[in-house]
Amino acid sequence: MALKFAVLGLLDQRPHYGYEIKQRFENSLGDIWSISYGQLYPTLRRLLESGHISKRVEPGQKAAEKNVYSITHTGHEIFQSWLEDSPKDGQYKVSVKDEFTLLFFFFNTLSTNRVLDILSKQLNRIGEQRSSYEKAFLDSEGNLDIYLRSIIRKGVIHLEAERQWLTEVIDTLSSNPD
Amino acid sequence: MALKFAVLGLLDQRPHYGYEIKQRFENSLGDIWSISYGQLYPTLRRLLESGHISKRVEPGQKAAEKNVYSITHTGHEIFQSWLEDSPKDGQYKVSVKDEFTLLFFFFNTLSTNRVLDILSKQLNRIGEQRSSYEKAFLDSEGNLDIYLRSIIRKGVIHLEAERQWLTEVIDTLSSNPD
DNA sequence: CACAACATGTAAGATGTTACATGATTGA
DNA sequence: TCAATCATGTAACATCTTACATGTTGTG
């Protein structure tokens, strides 16, 4: 669902070929949203079949021929209505559904010391991830679209929140031995 | 993947029947991790086929017969190794990959006023979600496992982070009209 | 009597992951 | 010449969502 609109959104800006779409994901949203060819090419095929995009073949300079896709009228329409209407429904929730949380749920079967060890290692990893996001955010000043920059900032803020949570839990467990 | 271990984890505590497993998800992790029968029953069948759990039929008091599942030796083994070994690999990243972020990425095509409107509505919704988590957290004092309570707290912290982010973006956009 | 809660599942379709398969060009 | 980058895709498998299908028990 989401990928379909992501692709339409990029094609609504200008025509792209498949490889290039993947590139744009890696470059601008890579840390946040990466896609595989196994997802991308079938999505392009489906959009083509449903008439939301059109295809033109261009000789390749460096490698194989490029399949350059452009958005059609109906494609533009459905992208616009996704962009404009879906915020009204407002189903967007913040979720903490991730595998680490699930693992954490079962930590009550481990010794407190073992848990503290795991949590402090996780704290370190999150700290590193945070630093790299922070750096990306600072480096992007002035040369990045304000929306894209805000997304990186969002990452920084949530990583900081995760650090805060881990620190809190470590404190709680340290002062409340089973 | 994750659901498989979640189910094994619950069965490692004591035997459960299908409906009961779903209940435990709703009650303890409902806001965070909800599952459907369309996921659960096939997962139970696969675990049974692979010998990680066993099944015993119990007459139902209120409705249909219950299929009570217990964990087997191999099931216990793979759950333990997931619990103990997977934190070492440490692939657990905090991700901001959600549909609202994708939508936001394309907001540069809308007018700033329209975006400000959408963001402030989202801020309200997140504020409500935060209040309900905060309430759940406060209500749980003293009567909930410390790990489960911490997961609710995690939700509160990330919702607060989301609020902070939205507020920041609203401020930035308000002071930088296109 | 209707409706909520109890209890089990299947089927179809969408989506995502991973590995495989192919071949050209560029630079060290 | 060898690896990296460019460029396209398919196939198998796993997973998730949604809707459908069935029947019982307790409560207002």
Side-chain angles (χ1 to χ4, degrees):
Chain A
M1 207 65 223
L3 180 60
K4 168 180 157 184
F5 291 109
V7 168
L8 285 176
L10 293 181
L11 295 182
D12 199 45
Q13 297 171 350
R14 61 174 173 80
H16 286 77
Y17 52 97
Y19 189 82
E20 197 182 12
I21 291 174
K22 171 115 156 85
Q23 296 265 301
R24 289 208 57 196
F25 267 92
E26 302 306 325
N27 296 337
S28 56
L29 290 167
D31 290 325
I32 290 153
W33 208 307
S34 66
I35 58 170
S36 67
Y37 290 121
Q39 266 182 285
L40 178 59
Y41 287 116
T43 299
L44 285 168
R45 183 173 40 74
R46 282 191 292 265
L47 284 170
L48 192 62
E49 282 165 3
S50 57
H52 297 319
I53 63 176
S54 65
K55 174 176 154 181
R56 157 173 63 89
V57 178
E58 199 175 275
Q61 287 87 42
K62 295 192 172 183
E65 286 180 326
K66 292 170 184 168
N67 294 329
V68 181
Y69 297 94
S70 306
I71 200 160
T72 61
H73 179 68
T74 65
H76 177 76
E77 296 286 302
I78 69 159
F79 173 69
Q80 282 303 318
S81 60
W82 172 74
L83 190 62
E84 309 233 3
D85 300 343
S86 63
K88 289 177 198 153
D89 311 342
Q91 328 256 33
Y92 303 111
K93 291 199 173 176
V94 168
S95 155
V96 290
K97 177 175 177 171
D98 60 60
E99 198 165 330
F100 186 78
T101 306
L102 181 64
L103 199 68
F104 182 86
F105 178 64
F106 290 110
F107 276 0
N108 55 7
T109 62
L110 300 178
S111 74
T112 303
N113 279 342
R114 177 92 177 86
V115 172
L116 285 171
D117 184 49
I118 294 170
L119 293 180
S120 57
K121 289 206 174 90
Q122 178 69 0
L123 185 59
N124 288 336
R125 279 192 290 259
I126 294 293
E128 284 164 25
Q129 210 192 329
R130 194 214 121 114
S131 303
S132 97
Y133 266 61
E134 181 102 56
K135 185 173 181 315
F137 180 70
L138 294 173
D139 289 353
S140 69
E141 183 163 15
N143 60 43
L144 223 58
D145 173 89
I146 192 170
Y147 291 95
L148 193 46
R149 215 169 164 248
S150 296
I151 292 177
I152 301 175
R153 178 74 184 132
K154 179 171 180 169
V156 173
I157 288 177
H158 278 278
L159 283 161
E160 185 55 37
E162 188 76 4
R163 261 167 45 116
Q164 186 199 328
W165 176 68
L166 285 166
T167 305
E168 246 189 61
V169 175
I170 289 170
D171 285 352
T172 308
L173 289 176
S174 301
S175 58
N176 288 304
D178 325 80
Chain B
M1 206 68 226
L3 180 60
K4 168 180 157 184
F5 291 109
V7 168
L8 285 175
L10 293 181
L11 296 182
D12 199 45
Q13 297 169 352
R14 60 174 173 78
H16 286 77
Y17 51 97
Y19 188 82
E20 196 182 14
I21 291 175
K22 172 116 156 82
Q23 295 265 302
R24 289 208 57 197
F25 267 92
E26 303 305 326
N27 295 338
S28 57
L29 290 168
D31 290 325
I32 290 152
W33 208 307
S34 65
I35 58 171
S36 66
Y37 290 121
Q39 267 180 284
L40 179 58
Y41 287 116
T43 299
L44 286 168
R45 182 173 42 73
R46 281 191 294 266
L47 284 170
L48 192 62
E49 281 164 5
S50 58
H52 297 318
I53 63 175
S54 64
K55 174 176 154 180
R56 158 173 62 86
V57 177
E58 200 175 274
Q61 288 87 41
K62 296 192 171 183
E65 287 180 326
K66 293 172 186 170
N67 294 330
V68 180
Y69 297 93
S70 306
I71 199 159
T72 61
H73 180 67
T74 65
H76 177 76
E77 295 286 303
I78 69 158
F79 173 69
Q80 282 302 317
S81 59
W82 173 73
L83 190 61
E84 308 232 3
D85 300 344
S86 63
K88 290 176 196 151
D89 311 342
Q91 327 257 32
Y92 303 111
K93 292 198 171 176
V94 168
S95 156
V96 289
K97 178 175 177 172
D98 60 59
E99 198 166 329
F100 186 78
T101 306
L102 180 65
L103 199 67
F104 182 86
F105 178 64
F106 290 111
F107 276 180
N108 55 7
T109 62
L110 300 178
S111 74
T112 302
N113 278 341
R114 177 91 176 87
V115 172
L116 285 171
D117 184 50
I118 294 170
L119 293 179
S120 57
K121 290 207 174 89
Q122 178 69 359
L123 186 59
N124 288 337
R125 280 192 289 259
I126 294 294
E128 284 164 25
Q129 209 191 329
R130 193 214 121 111
S131 303
S132 98
Y133 267 61
E134 181 102 56
K135 184 171 183 316
F137 180 70
L138 294 174
D139 289 353
S140 71
E141 185 164 12
N143 60 42
L144 223 57
D145 173 88
I146 190 169
Y147 290 96
L148 194 45
R149 216 170 163 248
S150 296
I151 291 177
I152 300 174
R153 178 74 184 131
K154 180 171 178 169
V156 173
I157 288 178
H158 278 279
L159 283 162
E160 184 55 36
E162 188 75 4
R163 260 167 47 116
Q164 186 199 328
W165 176 69
L166 285 166
T167 305
E168 245 189 63
V169 175
I170 289 170
D171 286 352
T172 307
L173 289 177
S174 302
S175 58
N176 288 302
D178 325 81

Short mmCIF file of all heavy atoms in Angstrom, two decimals, chain B residues 15-50:
data_model
loop_
_atom_site.label_atom_id
_atom_site.label_comp_id
_atom_site.label_asym_id
_atom_site.label_seq_id
_atom_site.Cartn_x
_atom_site.Cartn_y
_atom_site.Cartn_z
N PRO B 15 0.48 -23.84 29.74
CA PRO B 15 -0.32 -24.16 28.57
C PRO B 15 -1.43 -23.12 28.34
O PRO B 15 -1.92 -22.52 29.30
CB PRO B 15 -0.93 -25.52 28.92
CG PRO B 15 0.00 -26.10 29.93
CD PRO B 15 0.48 -24.94 30.74
N HIS B 16 -1.76 -22.91 27.11
CA HIS B 16 -2.81 -21.96 26.74
C HIS B 16 -3.60 -22.56 25.57
O HIS B 16 -3.05 -23.31 24.80
CB HIS B 16 -2.22 -20.66 26.20
CG HIS B 16 -1.62 -19.75 27.20
ND1 HIS B 16 -0.38 -19.97 27.76
CD2 HIS B 16 -2.06 -18.59 27.74
CE1 HIS B 16 -0.10 -18.97 28.60
NE2 HIS B 16 -1.09 -18.13 28.61
N TYR B 17 -4.85 -22.15 25.45
CA TYR B 17 -5.56 -22.47 24.22
C TYR B 17 -5.61 -21.22 23.36
O TYR B 17 -5.31 -20.10 23.85
CB TYR B 17 -6.96 -23.05 24.49
CG TYR B 17 -7.84 -22.26 25.41
CD1 TYR B 17 -8.80 -21.38 24.90
CD2 TYR B 17 -7.72 -22.39 26.80
CE1 TYR B 17 -9.62 -20.66 25.75
CE2 TYR B 17 -8.54 -21.67 27.64
CZ TYR B 17 -9.49 -20.80 27.12
OH TYR B 17 -10.29 -20.08 27.95
N GLY B 18 -5.95 -21.41 22.08
CA GLY B 18 -5.83 -20.34 21.10
C GLY B 18 -6.49 -19.03 21.50
O GLY B 18 -5.85 -17.97 21.52
N TYR B 19 -7.74 -19.12 21.85
CA TYR B 19 -8.51 -17.93 22.21
C TYR B 19 -7.85 -17.19 23.37
O TYR B 19 -7.80 -15.96 23.41
CB TYR B 19 -9.92 -18.37 22.60
CG TYR B 19 -10.90 -17.27 22.82
CD1 TYR B 19 -11.56 -16.68 21.75
CD2 TYR B 19 -11.20 -16.83 24.11
CE1 TYR B 19 -12.50 -15.67 21.96
CE2 TYR B 19 -12.12 -15.82 24.33
CZ TYR B 19 -12.76 -15.24 23.25
OH TYR B 19 -13.68 -14.24 23.47
N GLU B 20 -7.32 -17.99 24.28
CA GLU B 20 -6.67 -17.44 25.47
C GLU B 20 -5.39 -16.68 25.10
O GLU B 20 -5.06 -15.66 25.70
CB GLU B 20 -6.34 -18.63 26.40
CG GLU B 20 -6.03 -18.28 27.82
CD GLU B 20 -5.67 -19.53 28.63
OE1 GLU B 20 -5.40 -20.60 28.02
OE2 GLU B 20 -5.64 -19.44 29.87
N ILE B 21 -4.68 -17.20 24.12
CA ILE B 21 -3.45 -16.53 23.67
C ILE B 21 -3.80 -15.16 23.11
O ILE B 21 -3.18 -14.15 23.44
CB ILE B 21 -2.71 -17.38 22.62
CG1 ILE B 21 -2.14 -18.64 23.28
CG2 ILE B 21 -1.60 -16.57 21.95
CD1 ILE B 21 -1.50 -19.61 22.30
N LYS B 22 -4.85 -15.15 22.29
CA LYS B 22 -5.30 -13.88 21.74
C LYS B 22 -5.69 -12.91 22.86
O LYS B 22 -5.34 -11.73 22.84
CB LYS B 22 -6.48 -14.11 20.80
CG LYS B 22 -7.15 -12.84 20.30
CD LYS B 22 -7.03 -12.67 18.82
CE LYS B 22 -8.14 -11.79 18.24
NZ LYS B 22 -7.85 -10.36 18.38
N GLN B 23 -6.40 -13.42 23.84
CA GLN B 23 -6.78 -12.62 25.01
C GLN B 23 -5.58 -11.99 25.69
O GLN B 23 -5.57 -10.83 26.03
CB GLN B 23 -7.46 -13.54 26.04
CG GLN B 23 -8.75 -14.11 25.58
CD GLN B 23 -9.91 -13.29 26.06
OE1 GLN B 23 -10.06 -13.10 27.26
NE2 GLN B 23 -10.68 -12.76 25.13
N ARG B 24 -4.57 -12.82 25.91
CA ARG B 24 -3.39 -12.31 26.61
C ARG B 24 -2.72 -11.21 25.81
O ARG B 24 -2.19 -10.26 26.38
CB ARG B 24 -2.41 -13.43 26.93
CG ARG B 24 -2.95 -14.35 28.01
CD ARG B 24 -1.84 -15.00 28.81
NE ARG B 24 -0.93 -14.05 29.43
CZ ARG B 24 0.27 -14.35 29.88
NH1 ARG B 24 0.71 -15.60 29.79
NH2 ARG B 24 1.04 -13.44 30.43
N PHE B 25 -2.75 -11.35 24.49
CA PHE B 25 -2.21 -10.27 23.67
C PHE B 25 -3.03 -9.01 23.85
O PHE B 25 -2.49 -7.93 24.05
CB PHE B 25 -2.18 -10.68 22.19
CG PHE B 25 -0.88 -11.28 21.77
CD1 PHE B 25 -0.67 -12.65 21.82
CD2 PHE B 25 0.16 -10.47 21.35
CE1 PHE B 25 0.54 -13.20 21.44
CE2 PHE B 25 1.37 -11.02 20.97
CZ PHE B 25 1.56 -12.39 21.02
N GLU B 26 -4.35 -9.15 23.76
CA GLU B 26 -5.22 -7.98 23.88
C GLU B 26 -5.04 -7.30 25.23
O GLU B 26 -4.93 -6.09 25.33
CB GLU B 26 -6.69 -8.37 23.73
CG GLU B 26 -7.06 -9.07 22.46
CD GLU B 26 -6.67 -8.31 21.20
OE1 GLU B 26 -6.70 -7.07 21.22
OE2 GLU B 26 -6.32 -8.97 20.20
N ASN B 27 -5.05 -8.11 26.28
CA ASN B 27 -5.03 -7.54 27.62
C ASN B 27 -3.71 -6.90 27.98
O ASN B 27 -3.67 -5.80 28.52
CB ASN B 27 -5.34 -8.62 28.66
CG ASN B 27 -6.75 -9.13 28.49
OD1 ASN B 27 -7.60 -8.44 27.92
ND2 ASN B 27 -7.01 -10.33 28.96
N SER B 28 -2.62 -7.61 27.68
CA SER B 28 -1.35 -7.09 28.17
C SER B 28 -0.60 -6.28 27.14
O SER B 28 0.13 -5.36 27.46
CB SER B 28 -0.48 -8.22 28.71
OG SER B 28 -0.28 -9.19 27.72
N LEU B 29 -0.78 -6.62 25.88
CA LEU B 29 0.01 -5.94 24.85
C LEU B 29 -0.88 -5.28 23.79
O LEU B 29 -0.38 -4.79 22.79
CB LEU B 29 0.94 -6.95 24.16
CG LEU B 29 2.11 -7.48 24.98
CD1 LEU B 29 2.74 -8.67 24.27
CD2 LEU B 29 3.16 -6.39 25.19
N GLY B 30 -2.19 -5.28 24.08
CA GLY B 30 -3.16 -4.87 23.08
C GLY B 30 -2.84 -3.61 22.31
O GLY B 30 -2.93 -3.58 21.09
N ASP B 31 -2.46 -2.56 23.03
CA ASP B 31 -2.18 -1.31 22.34
C ASP B 31 -0.93 -1.41 21.50
O ASP B 31 -0.72 -0.64 20.58
CB ASP B 31 -1.97 -0.19 23.37
CG ASP B 31 -3.27 0.16 24.06
OD1 ASP B 31 -4.31 0.10 23.40
OD2 ASP B 31 -3.22 0.48 25.26
N ILE B 32 -0.08 -2.32 21.89
CA ILE B 32 1.24 -2.42 21.30
C ILE B 32 1.30 -3.49 20.23
O ILE B 32 1.87 -3.32 19.17
CB ILE B 32 2.26 -2.73 22.40
CG1 ILE B 32 2.42 -1.50 23.29
CG2 ILE B 32 3.60 -3.14 21.83
CD1 ILE B 32 2.81 -1.83 24.68
N TRP B 33 0.71 -4.62 20.53
CA TRP B 33 0.87 -5.76 19.64
C TRP B 33 -0.43 -6.55 19.59
O TRP B 33 -0.68 -7.37 20.46
CB TRP B 33 2.00 -6.66 20.14
CG TRP B 33 2.65 -7.43 19.04
CD1 TRP B 33 2.04 -8.22 18.12
CD2 TRP B 33 4.04 -7.44 18.74
NE1 TRP B 33 2.97 -8.72 17.27
CE2 TRP B 33 4.21 -8.27 17.62
CE3 TRP B 33 5.16 -6.84 19.30
CZ2 TRP B 33 5.46 -8.51 17.06
CZ3 TRP B 33 6.39 -7.09 18.75
CH2 TRP B 33 6.54 -7.92 17.63
N SER B 34 -1.24 -6.29 18.58
CA SER B 34 -2.47 -7.06 18.49
C SER B 34 -2.32 -8.06 17.34
O SER B 34 -1.62 -7.82 16.38
CB SER B 34 -3.66 -6.14 18.25
OG SER B 34 -3.54 -5.52 17.01
N ILE B 35 -2.96 -9.18 17.51
CA ILE B 35 -2.87 -10.21 16.48
C ILE B 35 -4.28 -10.62 16.07
O ILE B 35 -5.24 -10.38 16.78
CB ILE B 35 -2.11 -11.45 16.98
CG1 ILE B 35 -2.78 -12.04 18.23
CG2 ILE B 35 -0.67 -11.10 17.28
CD1 ILE B 35 -2.22 -13.38 18.62
N SER B 36 -4.38 -11.26 14.92
CA SER B 36 -5.67 -11.73 14.44
C SER B 36 -5.65 -13.26 14.44
O SER B 36 -4.59 -13.87 14.43
CB SER B 36 -5.93 -11.23 13.03
OG SER B 36 -5.01 -11.81 12.12
N TYR B 37 -6.85 -13.84 14.45
CA TYR B 37 -6.93 -15.30 14.39
C TYR B 37 -6.33 -15.83 13.10
O TYR B 37 -5.79 -16.93 13.08
CB TYR B 37 -8.38 -15.74 14.52
CG TYR B 37 -8.94 -15.51 15.90
CD1 TYR B 37 -10.04 -14.70 16.10
CD2 TYR B 37 -8.34 -16.09 17.01
CE1 TYR B 37 -10.54 -14.47 17.38
CE2 TYR B 37 -8.82 -15.87 18.28
CZ TYR B 37 -9.93 -15.06 18.46
OH TYR B 37 -10.41 -14.84 19.72
N GLY B 38 -6.45 -15.02 12.06
CA GLY B 38 -5.88 -15.42 10.78
C GLY B 38 -4.37 -15.58 10.81
O GLY B 38 -3.77 -16.23 9.96
N GLN B 39 -3.76 -14.98 11.83
CA GLN B 39 -2.32 -15.16 12.03
C GLN B 39 -2.08 -16.26 13.04
O GLN B 39 -1.19 -17.08 12.90
CB GLN B 39 -1.73 -13.91 12.69
CG GLN B 39 -1.17 -12.86 11.80
CD GLN B 39 -0.63 -11.73 12.66
OE1 GLN B 39 -1.41 -10.95 13.19
NE2 GLN B 39 0.67 -11.65 12.81
N LEU B 40 -2.88 -16.20 14.12
CA LEU B 40 -2.61 -17.06 15.25
C LEU B 40 -2.80 -18.55 14.96
O LEU B 40 -1.91 -19.36 15.23
CB LEU B 40 -3.53 -16.66 16.42
CG LEU B 40 -3.41 -17.50 17.69
CD1 LEU B 40 -1.98 -17.48 18.22
CD2 LEU B 40 -4.38 -17.00 18.74
N TYR B 41 -3.97 -18.92 14.41
CA TYR B 41 -4.23 -20.34 14.22
C TYR B 41 -3.25 -21.00 13.25
O TYR B 41 -2.75 -22.09 13.53
CB TYR B 41 -5.69 -20.58 13.84
CG TYR B 41 -6.63 -20.37 15.02
CD1 TYR B 41 -7.59 -19.37 15.04
CD2 TYR B 41 -6.52 -21.20 16.14
CE1 TYR B 41 -8.43 -19.19 16.13
CE2 TYR B 41 -7.36 -21.02 17.24
CZ TYR B 41 -8.31 -20.01 17.23
OH TYR B 41 -9.13 -19.85 18.30
N PRO B 42 -2.93 -20.37 12.12
CA PRO B 42 -1.90 -20.98 11.26
C PRO B 42 -0.55 -21.09 11.96
O PRO B 42 0.17 -22.07 11.75
CB PRO B 42 -1.82 -20.02 10.07
CG PRO B 42 -3.16 -19.36 10.02
CD PRO B 42 -3.57 -19.22 11.45
N THR B 43 -0.22 -20.12 12.80
CA THR B 43 1.04 -20.19 13.54
C THR B 43 1.05 -21.38 14.49
O THR B 43 2.03 -22.12 14.57
CB THR B 43 1.27 -18.88 14.34
OG1 THR B 43 1.34 -17.80 13.42
CG2 THR B 43 2.57 -18.94 15.14
N LEU B 44 -0.07 -21.58 15.19
CA LEU B 44 -0.19 -22.72 16.09
C LEU B 44 -0.07 -24.04 15.32
O LEU B 44 0.61 -24.98 15.76
CB LEU B 44 -1.52 -22.67 16.86
CG LEU B 44 -1.60 -21.61 17.96
CD1 LEU B 44 -3.03 -21.45 18.45
CD2 LEU B 44 -0.68 -21.98 19.14
N ARG B 45 -0.70 -24.09 14.17
CA ARG B 45 -0.63 -25.31 13.36
C ARG B 45 0.81 -25.60 12.92
O ARG B 45 1.28 -26.73 13.02
CB ARG B 45 -1.56 -25.17 12.14
CG ARG B 45 -1.58 -26.42 11.25
CD ARG B 45 -2.65 -26.35 10.14
NE ARG B 45 -2.74 -25.05 9.48
CZ ARG B 45 -1.84 -24.57 8.63
NH1 ARG B 45 -0.76 -25.27 8.31
NH2 ARG B 45 -2.01 -23.38 8.09
N ARG B 46 1.51 -24.55 12.49
CA ARG B 46 2.89 -24.74 12.05
C ARG B 46 3.79 -25.18 13.20
O ARG B 46 4.64 -26.05 13.04
CB ARG B 46 3.44 -23.46 11.43
CG ARG B 46 2.98 -23.23 10.00
CD ARG B 46 3.76 -22.10 9.34
NE ARG B 46 3.52 -20.79 9.96
CZ ARG B 46 2.60 -19.92 9.53
NH1 ARG B 46 1.84 -20.21 8.50
NH2 ARG B 46 2.46 -18.75 10.12
N LEU B 47 3.59 -24.58 14.37
CA LEU B 47 4.39 -24.95 15.53
C LEU B 47 4.12 -26.40 15.94
O LEU B 47 5.03 -27.12 16.36
CB LEU B 47 4.12 -24.01 16.71
CG LEU B 47 4.76 -22.63 16.61
CD1 LEU B 47 4.22 -21.71 17.71
CD2 LEU B 47 6.28 -22.73 16.73
N LEU B 48 2.86 -26.80 15.78
CA LEU B 48 2.48 -28.17 16.10
C LEU B 48 3.15 -29.14 15.13
O LEU B 48 3.74 -30.15 15.54
CB LEU B 48 0.96 -28.30 16.01
CG LEU B 48 0.32 -29.57 16.57
CD1 LEU B 48 0.59 -29.68 18.06
CD2 LEU B 48 -1.18 -29.55 16.32
N GLU B 49 3.09 -28.78 13.83
CA GLU B 49 3.68 -29.64 12.80
C GLU B 49 5.19 -29.79 12.97
O GLU B 49 5.75 -30.84 12.70
CB GLU B 49 3.38 -29.08 11.40
CG GLU B 49 1.96 -29.40 10.94
CD GLU B 49 1.52 -28.54 9.76
OE1 GLU B 49 2.36 -27.76 9.25
OE2 GLU B 49 0.34 -28.64 9.37
N SER B 50 5.83 -28.71 13.43
CA SER B 50 7.28 -28.78 13.59
C SER B 50 7.66 -29.36 14.95
O SER B 50 8.84 -29.47 15.27
CB SER B 50 7.90 -27.40 13.38
OG SER B 50 7.34 -26.49 14.30
#
